[in-house]
Amino acid sequence: MSQTTPAARARRGGTALALAALLGGSLLIPTAAAAVAPEVPTAPLVGTGTSWQYLDDHTDPARGDANVRAWVAPEYDDSGWKTAPGGFGVKNNALVAVGPYTPATKLEHYIDGTKAPTIPTYFFRTSFDLEAGVAEQVASLTSTVIYDDALVVWVNGTKVASYEDQRITETTNLEYAGNSNGDPLSSTFSASGELLRDGENTIAVALYQDRASSSDAYFDMSTLTLTAAGQPGEVVEAPPTRVILTPTETPETSQSFSWLAGDATHNLGQVEIGLAAGGETRAVDAYAAGVVNGNPNQHFSATVEGLTPGTDYRYRVGLPGSWSEWIEFTTADPAATDFQFVYYGDAQIGLDSTWPEVVRQAEARTTNSIGSVHAGDLIDSSSNEAQWLNWFKGMKNSAATTNVMAAPGNHEYTGDKLLSAWKANFEYPRNQPKLETIGALAELAQGDTEEARQAAAYFAHWSEFAAETVYYTDYQGVRFITLNATRDTTFLTPSGLPACAADTCPSKRVAELWTQYQAAWLDFILAESPSKWNVVTFHQPVFSGSSGRDEPVLRKHWVPVFEKHNIDLVLMGHDHVYARGFVNATATDVPGLTSGPVYAVSNSGAKHYSLAPEGNNVWTNNGATQVLRGEGVTTYQVIDVSSDQLVYRSYLAEKTAGATTDKAVGDLYDEFTVTKYATGAKYVTEAGVAVPAGPALRLELDSVAAGAELSFSGSGFAPGSELAVELRSDPVSLGAATVQADGSFAFAGTIPSDTPAGAHQIVVILPNGAEIAAALTVTPAVDGGTDGGATDGGATDGGATDGGATDGGATDGGPTDGGATDGGATDGGSTDAGTGGGTAAAHGGAKSGELASTGGAALPFVLGGAGLLVAGAAILLARRRAAARQG
């Protein structure tokens, strides 16, 4: 947004009042009298016990009108309907409790009055009055409704709320809709005050049974209240809610924020951010992300750039006059190796009870978490604002301080085919699949055939639609990837789709093509992933655990990509059971040791399904093994990340009476470790199974003199690989080594004689560019010489000065280039030296990049020759000093 100053929506009529105040005195008296308007009522205008007109006799209220919703209009005549107080309900054709709610008025249950089929739809109307001048002062109305099975609400003819409505066709009034949810559901919605009018205001409601054999129905509007607007120019003080952090593509230097405005009058939003330690702050404008689900409050999102890696920040969101509290977070640190993240399966059911307790337990156990991944179905119905409210309430602390990486599930589309609520609540990297990132699949959209034109239309639509549902972020060495496993032609089909009649048309295989589209993108981003670890999250499992579930299309196109790139963790939901295992081809000869991706399905809510038979299920029928499977369990998973390992632990957060485990709530339920070495070797080990040793270096000595020989060995490397060896601080090549069939190698070389004394490293560089290092201390050259010789009484540059040998040979009677050059030894080795002038070793015994010879056989001769040179130099020096004294 370009706005940088706060604003509040002025009350309707405020401009007229201000204008009247500027007019002549003759107008002031009537204007002043009109300004004394009644206040907005604070008591509920509708509640349990309110009288409603209702229709429960299987009659169409439209009475043949072409407009099937004619009955919701304020002017509709409902005088012929029944009248009774709410709530309304029926169970097995009796006036008894429906779950925890007891109706005041019984509804007719069956069309014929005695047996199924049930009446599909019930209709209700009521009204409330506002005094003159009140409607213009109302910012919003808020209502709580209780229903079973589906519900739609209109205010003055405008639809303001709709629940479990995915089956409602809008073509008829009498139809079954909704889902069998057990007990009635409670939801809260809001609507703009602009819908209201002075005088009578009408509320219309349609209540749907989900099927002809439904056992019960229930409706009550337990409360409806009004919220007054602020004065013109004032900001209504109402802190934002649903504050959430989501990662960017560069989480080291940027961060995304989203929130729901605290009031309908808040038409702009900002993030104010500064260092947690204090000091100056800066404000960043947000953009309006949408008004959804009948809630008049605006959603806002903002991304802040230019942050410092691994730094603590404080922030608040909202607008001047109505901020959230100050909250702290830390940017990603590329150097960090030890941290945690949490994996949640479906929350969906029990959002006001089970879900907050699961999160509480997870937060208590994770003290070093960077965030959480969610495998879809966060809620049960995306159009249900109360469910979103409860999901965010459960995540209030962790969502505002650590990053949330969520995948949409099929229930995110319930009542919201275009994911309006999802995209309003979350802000994710827009690095979704595009033509340039789907590889050869993009060729389907090339050319001027019917098929190509249709493929181009699909790909263009998906490129936009996949935004914020298919994405990735690299966070401290982990590439978190989210896929969208839901396949529904409603949202996958673009408007204006080109015609295509051939059997090969994309429209004939939309769901499969959408799956391939993401598989091609996944293959592309895994091939160029810079992160050591790769974690994929989505909803519907490629290996289903519960009875009656199977996703062959996902398995066909996604599993080969997971296996090709050896994904580390594949985290899924949907099945409401627990299952974890591997593809059989990645098993080893060692029990409890595998080498490929780990597939996990978990459940974090109160909804539970039954497991498929142990010996005949999607896993066993498709070349995979379940290591652990369980039903009746609610879990959360904590993954500890370190430089070489991911340690996965699942904890039991809740269980049913029929749970398939004897473990208690709070116990460790499942555990395994993924180990990945710099060599590329990867091992998945069950708890208690030893992890195979990784690459290691063993130095014979941890301290070596400059110019001296270094020997060391290594084990745990890839057989046959070529290794480069360097000395660091400043890289100096020492040579190369070849790994033997048993994964070991031996190396001998010489430390350059000009190496500064101090701490260094021996570094072995693998073919994949990875490095293994060992600490080495280099001491000054032997005998304390500088550049290999003595100064002032010793040999300089390896020979004697003032009567000694220069350049390694004797000057004034000593041999030149027949002894040692540059000190007898150049860079620690002898050049054209030794016996007979033969070459033993150049520059340290080994030229740069070559393995060194130990030279053990020549050692006695070298030591003897060195002794003679020293003795001769001493005699020569003594003679010159005697001659000098005589002179």
Side-chain angles (χ1 to χ4, degrees), residues 8-66:
R9 190 188 74 194
R11 296 181 305 166
R12 289 167 292 174
T15 302
L17 289 174
L19 181 61
L22 296 175
L23 297 179
S26 61
L27 294 178
L28 288 178
I29 294 176
T31 302
V36 184
E39 294 183 353
V40 174
T42 57
L45 299 176
V46 176
T48 299
T50 293
S51 181
W52 293 77
Q53 303 293 106
Y54 71 102
L55 202 59
D56 66 345
D57 59 0
H58 196 49
T59 298
D60 186 343
R63 301 167 182 167
D65 195 311

Short mmCIF file of all heavy atoms in Angstrom, two decimals, residues 8-66:
data_model
loop_
_atom_site.label_atom_id
_atom_site.label_comp_id
_atom_site.label_asym_id
_atom_site.label_seq_id
_atom_site.Cartn_x
_atom_site.Cartn_y
_atom_site.Cartn_z
N ALA A 8 -9.71 6.05 9.51
CA ALA A 8 -10.84 5.26 9.99
C ALA A 8 -12.05 5.63 9.17
O ALA A 8 -12.21 6.77 8.73
CB ALA A 8 -11.10 5.53 11.47
N ARG A 9 -12.92 4.62 8.95
CA ARG A 9 -14.10 4.90 8.15
C ARG A 9 -15.03 5.82 8.93
O ARG A 9 -15.43 5.53 10.05
CB ARG A 9 -14.82 3.59 7.83
CG ARG A 9 -15.92 3.76 6.80
CD ARG A 9 -16.72 2.49 6.66
NE ARG A 9 -17.60 2.30 7.80
CZ ARG A 9 -18.20 1.16 8.08
NH1 ARG A 9 -17.96 0.10 7.36
NH2 ARG A 9 -19.00 1.06 9.12
N ALA A 10 -15.36 6.97 8.35
CA ALA A 10 -16.30 7.89 9.00
C ALA A 10 -17.69 7.31 8.98
O ALA A 10 -18.06 6.54 8.09
CB ALA A 10 -16.29 9.23 8.29
N ARG A 11 -18.48 7.65 9.99
CA ARG A 11 -19.87 7.19 10.00
C ARG A 11 -20.62 7.81 8.84
O ARG A 11 -20.38 8.96 8.45
CB ARG A 11 -20.55 7.62 11.30
CG ARG A 11 -19.94 6.98 12.54
CD ARG A 11 -20.69 7.43 13.78
NE ARG A 11 -20.73 8.87 13.87
CZ ARG A 11 -21.54 9.54 14.68
NH1 ARG A 11 -22.40 8.90 15.43
NH2 ARG A 11 -21.51 10.86 14.72
N ARG A 12 -21.56 7.04 8.29
CA ARG A 12 -22.41 7.61 7.25
C ARG A 12 -23.19 8.77 7.85
O ARG A 12 -23.71 8.69 8.96
CB ARG A 12 -23.36 6.54 6.70
CG ARG A 12 -22.66 5.50 5.86
CD ARG A 12 -23.54 4.31 5.61
NE ARG A 12 -23.76 3.58 6.86
CZ ARG A 12 -24.61 2.55 6.95
NH1 ARG A 12 -25.31 2.17 5.91
NH2 ARG A 12 -24.74 1.92 8.10
N GLY A 13 -23.27 9.85 7.13
CA GLY A 13 -23.98 11.01 7.62
C GLY A 13 -23.06 12.00 8.30
O GLY A 13 -23.45 13.12 8.59
N GLY A 14 -21.82 11.61 8.57
CA GLY A 14 -20.88 12.52 9.24
C GLY A 14 -20.60 13.74 8.40
O GLY A 14 -20.50 14.86 8.91
N THR A 15 -20.48 13.57 7.09
CA THR A 15 -20.21 14.70 6.22
C THR A 15 -21.38 15.67 6.22
O THR A 15 -21.20 16.89 6.25
CB THR A 15 -19.96 14.20 4.78
OG1 THR A 15 -18.86 13.29 4.81
CG2 THR A 15 -19.64 15.34 3.85
N ALA A 16 -22.60 15.15 6.22
CA ALA A 16 -23.77 16.02 6.23
C ALA A 16 -23.84 16.83 7.51
O ALA A 16 -24.17 18.02 7.49
CB ALA A 16 -25.04 15.18 6.07
N LEU A 17 -23.52 16.22 8.64
CA LEU A 17 -23.54 16.95 9.91
C LEU A 17 -22.50 18.05 9.92
O LEU A 17 -22.75 19.17 10.39
CB LEU A 17 -23.29 15.97 11.06
CG LEU A 17 -24.44 14.99 11.37
CD1 LEU A 17 -23.98 14.00 12.42
CD2 LEU A 17 -25.68 15.73 11.84
N ALA A 18 -21.31 17.75 9.40
CA ALA A 18 -20.27 18.77 9.37
C ALA A 18 -20.66 19.93 8.47
O ALA A 18 -20.41 21.10 8.79
CB ALA A 18 -18.96 18.14 8.88
N LEU A 19 -21.30 19.64 7.34
CA LEU A 19 -21.73 20.69 6.43
C LEU A 19 -22.79 21.57 7.07
O LEU A 19 -22.75 22.80 6.98
CB LEU A 19 -22.28 20.06 5.14
CG LEU A 19 -22.76 21.03 4.06
CD1 LEU A 19 -21.61 21.92 3.61
CD2 LEU A 19 -23.35 20.28 2.89
N ALA A 20 -23.73 20.94 7.78
CA ALA A 20 -24.79 21.70 8.43
C ALA A 20 -24.22 22.65 9.48
O ALA A 20 -24.73 23.75 9.68
CB ALA A 20 -25.80 20.75 9.08
N ALA A 21 -23.17 22.24 10.14
CA ALA A 21 -22.58 23.09 11.17
C ALA A 21 -21.97 24.34 10.59
O ALA A 21 -21.77 25.33 11.30
CB ALA A 21 -21.51 22.30 11.93
N LEU A 22 -21.64 24.32 9.28
CA LEU A 22 -21.03 25.49 8.66
C LEU A 22 -22.06 26.46 8.10
O LEU A 22 -21.71 27.55 7.65
CB LEU A 22 -20.11 25.03 7.51
CG LEU A 22 -18.89 24.18 7.95
CD1 LEU A 22 -18.15 23.70 6.72
CD2 LEU A 22 -17.97 24.99 8.86
N LEU A 23 -23.34 26.07 8.09
CA LEU A 23 -24.37 26.92 7.49
C LEU A 23 -24.86 27.97 8.48
O LEU A 23 -24.48 27.99 9.66
CB LEU A 23 -25.52 26.05 7.00
CG LEU A 23 -25.14 25.04 5.89
CD1 LEU A 23 -26.36 24.21 5.52
CD2 LEU A 23 -24.60 25.76 4.67
N GLY A 24 -25.80 28.76 8.00
CA GLY A 24 -26.30 29.88 8.81
C GLY A 24 -27.04 29.45 10.06
O GLY A 24 -27.44 28.30 10.21
N GLY A 25 -27.25 30.44 10.96
CA GLY A 25 -27.87 30.17 12.25
C GLY A 25 -29.25 29.58 12.13
O GLY A 25 -29.68 28.84 13.02
N SER A 26 -29.97 29.89 11.06
CA SER A 26 -31.33 29.38 10.94
C SER A 26 -31.37 27.87 10.83
O SER A 26 -32.37 27.24 11.11
CB SER A 26 -32.02 30.00 9.72
OG SER A 26 -31.32 29.64 8.54
N LEU A 27 -30.21 27.28 10.39
CA LEU A 27 -30.18 25.83 10.23
C LEU A 27 -29.58 25.11 11.44
O LEU A 27 -29.66 23.91 11.54
CB LEU A 27 -29.35 25.45 8.99
CG LEU A 27 -29.94 25.88 7.64
CD1 LEU A 27 -29.00 25.47 6.52
CD2 LEU A 27 -31.31 25.28 7.43
N LEU A 28 -28.99 25.88 12.34
CA LEU A 28 -28.28 25.24 13.44
C LEU A 28 -29.22 24.52 14.40
O LEU A 28 -28.91 23.47 14.91
CB LEU A 28 -27.45 26.27 14.20
CG LEU A 28 -26.20 26.79 13.46
CD1 LEU A 28 -25.52 27.83 14.32
CD2 LEU A 28 -25.25 25.64 13.14
N ILE A 29 -30.39 25.10 14.67
CA ILE A 29 -31.27 24.51 15.66
C ILE A 29 -31.79 23.15 15.22
O ILE A 29 -31.65 22.16 15.93
CB ILE A 29 -32.42 25.47 16.02
CG1 ILE A 29 -31.84 26.70 16.71
CG2 ILE A 29 -33.45 24.78 16.89
CD1 ILE A 29 -32.87 27.78 17.02
N PRO A 30 -32.35 23.03 13.99
CA PRO A 30 -32.83 21.70 13.59
C PRO A 30 -31.69 20.68 13.45
O PRO A 30 -31.87 19.51 13.73
CB PRO A 30 -33.55 21.95 12.26
CG PRO A 30 -33.03 23.26 11.78
CD PRO A 30 -32.75 24.06 13.02
N THR A 31 -30.52 21.12 12.97
CA THR A 31 -29.40 20.21 12.83
C THR A 31 -28.96 19.68 14.18
O THR A 31 -28.70 18.50 14.37
CB THR A 31 -28.22 20.92 12.15
OG1 THR A 31 -28.65 21.39 10.88
CG2 THR A 31 -27.05 19.97 11.98
N ALA A 32 -28.90 20.57 15.18
CA ALA A 32 -28.50 20.13 16.52
C ALA A 32 -29.49 19.14 17.07
O ALA A 32 -29.13 18.15 17.71
CB ALA A 32 -28.38 21.35 17.43
N ALA A 33 -30.75 19.36 16.83
CA ALA A 33 -31.76 18.44 17.34
C ALA A 33 -31.63 17.07 16.69
O ALA A 33 -31.74 16.04 17.33
CB ALA A 33 -33.15 19.02 17.09
N ALA A 34 -31.32 17.07 15.36
CA ALA A 34 -31.21 15.81 14.64
C ALA A 34 -29.97 15.04 15.07
O ALA A 34 -29.90 13.82 14.97
CB ALA A 34 -31.17 16.04 13.14
N ALA A 35 -28.94 15.76 15.56
CA ALA A 35 -27.68 15.11 15.91
C ALA A 35 -27.80 14.27 17.16
O ALA A 35 -26.97 13.42 17.42
CB ALA A 35 -26.60 16.16 16.10
N VAL A 36 -28.84 14.53 17.97
CA VAL A 36 -29.01 13.75 19.20
C VAL A 36 -29.72 12.45 18.84
O VAL A 36 -30.92 12.29 19.06
CB VAL A 36 -29.80 14.54 20.26
CG1 VAL A 36 -29.88 13.74 21.56
CG2 VAL A 36 -29.16 15.89 20.51
N ALA A 37 -28.98 11.53 18.24
CA ALA A 37 -29.55 10.26 17.79
C ALA A 37 -29.40 9.20 18.88
O ALA A 37 -28.48 9.28 19.71
CB ALA A 37 -28.85 9.79 16.52
N PRO A 38 -30.28 8.22 18.91
CA PRO A 38 -30.14 7.14 19.88
C PRO A 38 -28.80 6.42 19.68
O PRO A 38 -28.26 6.35 18.57
CB PRO A 38 -31.31 6.21 19.55
CG PRO A 38 -32.28 7.06 18.80
CD PRO A 38 -31.46 8.05 18.04
N GLU A 39 -28.25 5.89 20.74
CA GLU A 39 -27.00 5.17 20.66
C GLU A 39 -27.22 3.77 20.10
O GLU A 39 -28.32 3.22 20.16
CB GLU A 39 -26.35 5.08 22.03
CG GLU A 39 -25.92 6.43 22.59
CD GLU A 39 -25.20 6.27 23.93
OE1 GLU A 39 -25.18 5.13 24.46
OE2 GLU A 39 -24.68 7.29 24.43
N VAL A 40 -26.16 3.19 19.60
CA VAL A 40 -26.22 1.81 19.10
C VAL A 40 -26.48 0.89 20.28
O VAL A 40 -25.78 0.95 21.30
CB VAL A 40 -24.89 1.43 18.42
CG1 VAL A 40 -24.89 -0.05 18.03
CG2 VAL A 40 -24.65 2.31 17.20
N PRO A 41 -27.50 0.04 20.19
CA PRO A 41 -27.80 -0.85 21.32
C PRO A 41 -26.65 -1.82 21.58
O PRO A 41 -26.01 -2.32 20.66
CB PRO A 41 -29.06 -1.59 20.86
CG PRO A 41 -29.10 -1.45 19.38
CD PRO A 41 -28.44 -0.14 19.07
N THR A 42 -26.39 -2.05 22.86
CA THR A 42 -25.32 -2.97 23.25
C THR A 42 -25.83 -4.36 23.59
O THR A 42 -25.08 -5.32 23.56
CB THR A 42 -24.56 -2.41 24.46
OG1 THR A 42 -25.49 -2.19 25.53
CG2 THR A 42 -23.88 -1.09 24.11
N ALA A 43 -27.11 -4.48 23.91
CA ALA A 43 -27.68 -5.79 24.24
C ALA A 43 -27.92 -6.58 22.96
O ALA A 43 -28.13 -6.02 21.88
CB ALA A 43 -29.00 -5.60 24.99
N PRO A 44 -27.88 -7.92 23.04
CA PRO A 44 -28.17 -8.74 21.85
C PRO A 44 -29.55 -8.44 21.29
O PRO A 44 -30.53 -8.29 22.03
CB PRO A 44 -28.10 -10.18 22.40
CG PRO A 44 -27.24 -10.08 23.61
CD PRO A 44 -27.54 -8.74 24.21
N LEU A 45 -29.63 -8.35 19.97
CA LEU A 45 -30.90 -8.10 19.29
C LEU A 45 -31.60 -9.40 18.92
O LEU A 45 -32.80 -9.40 18.67
CB LEU A 45 -30.66 -7.26 18.04
CG LEU A 45 -30.04 -5.88 18.29
CD1 LEU A 45 -29.75 -5.19 16.98
CD2 LEU A 45 -30.96 -5.04 19.15
N VAL A 46 -30.85 -10.47 18.85
CA VAL A 46 -31.41 -11.81 18.59
C VAL A 46 -30.69 -12.76 19.54
O VAL A 46 -29.48 -12.61 19.79
CB VAL A 46 -31.20 -12.25 17.13
CG1 VAL A 46 -31.70 -13.67 16.92
CG2 VAL A 46 -31.90 -11.29 16.18
N GLY A 47 -31.38 -13.75 20.06
CA GLY A 47 -30.76 -14.73 20.94
C GLY A 47 -31.64 -15.95 21.06
O GLY A 47 -32.71 -16.05 20.45
N THR A 48 -31.17 -16.92 21.84
CA THR A 48 -32.00 -18.10 22.12
C THR A 48 -33.31 -17.63 22.75
O THR A 48 -33.32 -16.85 23.70
CB THR A 48 -31.27 -19.04 23.08
OG1 THR A 48 -30.04 -19.46 22.46
CG2 THR A 48 -32.10 -20.25 23.43
N GLY A 49 -34.41 -18.09 22.22
CA GLY A 49 -35.72 -17.66 22.69
C GLY A 49 -36.38 -16.62 21.80
O GLY A 49 -37.58 -16.35 21.93
N THR A 50 -35.60 -16.03 20.87
CA THR A 50 -36.18 -15.09 19.91
C THR A 50 -37.22 -15.81 19.06
O THR A 50 -37.05 -16.97 18.67
CB THR A 50 -35.08 -14.50 19.00
OG1 THR A 50 -34.23 -13.68 19.79
CG2 THR A 50 -35.68 -13.68 17.87
N SER A 51 -38.30 -15.11 18.76
CA SER A 51 -39.37 -15.69 17.95
C SER A 51 -39.02 -15.64 16.47
O SER A 51 -38.52 -14.62 15.98
CB SER A 51 -40.67 -14.93 18.19
OG SER A 51 -41.74 -15.48 17.43
N TRP A 52 -39.24 -16.74 15.76
CA TRP A 52 -38.97 -16.85 14.33
C TRP A 52 -40.22 -17.32 13.59
O TRP A 52 -41.01 -18.09 14.14
CB TRP A 52 -37.86 -17.87 14.08
CG TRP A 52 -36.49 -17.51 14.59
CD1 TRP A 52 -36.06 -17.56 15.88
CD2 TRP A 52 -35.38 -17.07 13.80
NE1 TRP A 52 -34.75 -17.17 15.96
CE2 TRP A 52 -34.30 -16.86 14.69
CE3 TRP A 52 -35.20 -16.82 12.44
CZ2 TRP A 52 -33.06 -16.42 14.26
CZ3 TRP A 52 -33.95 -16.38 12.01
CH2 TRP A 52 -32.89 -16.18 12.90
N GLN A 53 -40.35 -16.87 12.35
CA GLN A 53 -41.28 -17.48 11.40
C GLN A 53 -40.51 -18.65 10.77
O GLN A 53 -39.32 -18.48 10.42
CB GLN A 53 -41.69 -16.50 10.32
CG GLN A 53 -42.34 -15.22 10.82
CD GLN A 53 -43.68 -15.48 11.46
OE1 GLN A 53 -43.80 -15.42 12.68
NE2 GLN A 53 -44.69 -15.79 10.64
N TYR A 54 -41.15 -19.81 10.62
CA TYR A 54 -40.40 -20.92 10.06
C TYR A 54 -41.30 -21.82 9.22
O TYR A 54 -42.52 -21.85 9.38
CB TYR A 54 -39.69 -21.72 11.15
CG TYR A 54 -40.58 -22.53 12.05
CD1 TYR A 54 -40.71 -23.91 11.90
CD2 TYR A 54 -41.30 -21.93 13.09
CE1 TYR A 54 -41.52 -24.67 12.74
CE2 TYR A 54 -42.12 -22.67 13.93
CZ TYR A 54 -42.22 -24.04 13.75
OH TYR A 54 -43.02 -24.79 14.58
N LEU A 55 -40.64 -22.57 8.34
CA LEU A 55 -41.32 -23.44 7.40
C LEU A 55 -40.65 -24.81 7.48
O LEU A 55 -39.46 -24.95 7.19
CB LEU A 55 -41.20 -22.86 5.98
CG LEU A 55 -42.20 -23.28 4.91
CD1 LEU A 55 -43.62 -22.93 5.33
CD2 LEU A 55 -41.86 -22.60 3.59
N ASP A 56 -41.41 -25.85 7.90
CA ASP A 56 -40.82 -27.20 8.06
C ASP A 56 -41.72 -28.28 7.47
O ASP A 56 -41.76 -29.40 7.98
CB ASP A 56 -40.54 -27.48 9.53
CG ASP A 56 -41.81 -27.58 10.36
OD1 ASP A 56 -42.88 -27.17 9.87
OD2 ASP A 56 -41.74 -28.08 11.51
N ASP A 57 -42.41 -27.95 6.37
CA ASP A 57 -43.36 -28.90 5.79
C ASP A 57 -42.99 -29.31 4.37
O ASP A 57 -43.84 -29.75 3.60
CB ASP A 57 -44.77 -28.32 5.82
CG ASP A 57 -44.87 -27.01 5.04
OD1 ASP A 57 -43.83 -26.56 4.48
OD2 ASP A 57 -45.96 -26.43 5.01
N HIS A 58 -41.71 -29.16 3.99
CA HIS A 58 -41.23 -29.52 2.66
C HIS A 58 -41.86 -28.67 1.56
O HIS A 58 -42.02 -29.10 0.42
CB HIS A 58 -41.47 -31.01 2.38
CG HIS A 58 -40.66 -31.54 1.22
ND1 HIS A 58 -39.31 -31.35 1.08
CD2 HIS A 58 -41.05 -32.28 0.13
CE1 HIS A 58 -38.89 -31.92 -0.03
NE2 HIS A 58 -39.93 -32.50 -0.64
N THR A 59 -42.23 -27.42 1.92
CA THR A 59 -42.76 -26.48 0.93
C THR A 59 -41.63 -25.58 0.45
O THR A 59 -40.81 -25.12 1.24
CB THR A 59 -43.87 -25.61 1.57
OG1 THR A 59 -44.93 -26.46 1.99
CG2 THR A 59 -44.38 -24.58 0.58
N ASP A 60 -41.63 -25.28 -0.86
CA ASP A 60 -40.63 -24.36 -1.42
C ASP A 60 -41.07 -22.94 -1.11
O ASP A 60 -42.14 -22.49 -1.59
CB ASP A 60 -40.52 -24.57 -2.93
CG ASP A 60 -39.40 -23.73 -3.56
OD1 ASP A 60 -38.92 -22.78 -2.90
OD2 ASP A 60 -39.00 -24.04 -4.69
N PRO A 61 -40.28 -22.17 -0.36
CA PRO A 61 -40.71 -20.82 0.02
C PRO A 61 -40.71 -19.84 -1.14
O PRO A 61 -41.30 -18.76 -1.04
CB PRO A 61 -39.67 -20.41 1.07
CG PRO A 61 -38.46 -21.20 0.72
CD PRO A 61 -38.96 -22.52 0.21
N ALA A 62 -40.05 -20.21 -2.27
CA ALA A 62 -40.02 -19.29 -3.43
C ALA A 62 -41.36 -19.25 -4.14
O ALA A 62 -41.62 -18.33 -4.92
CB ALA A 62 -38.92 -19.71 -4.40
N ARG A 63 -42.23 -20.26 -3.90
CA ARG A 63 -43.60 -20.28 -4.44
C ARG A 63 -43.61 -20.15 -5.96
O ARG A 63 -44.42 -19.44 -6.55
CB ARG A 63 -44.42 -19.17 -3.84
CG ARG A 63 -44.54 -19.22 -2.32
CD ARG A 63 -45.09 -17.93 -1.76
NE ARG A 63 -45.16 -17.96 -0.30
CZ ARG A 63 -45.37 -16.87 0.43
NH1 ARG A 63 -45.52 -15.67 -0.14
NH2 ARG A 63 -45.41 -16.95 1.76
N GLY A 64 -42.65 -20.80 -6.62
CA GLY A 64 -42.62 -20.80 -8.08
C GLY A 64 -41.90 -19.62 -8.69
O GLY A 64 -41.80 -19.52 -9.92
N ASP A 65 -41.39 -18.69 -7.89
CA ASP A 65 -40.65 -17.54 -8.40
C ASP A 65 -39.37 -18.03 -9.09
O ASP A 65 -38.71 -18.95 -8.61
CB ASP A 65 -40.31 -16.60 -7.26
CG ASP A 65 -39.87 -15.21 -7.74
OD1 ASP A 65 -39.00 -15.16 -8.63
OD2 ASP A 65 -40.37 -14.21 -7.20
N ALA A 66 -39.04 -17.41 -10.23
CA ALA A 66 -37.81 -17.79 -10.94
C ALA A 66 -36.58 -17.54 -10.09
O ALA A 66 -35.54 -18.21 -10.23
CB ALA A 66 -37.71 -17.02 -12.26
#
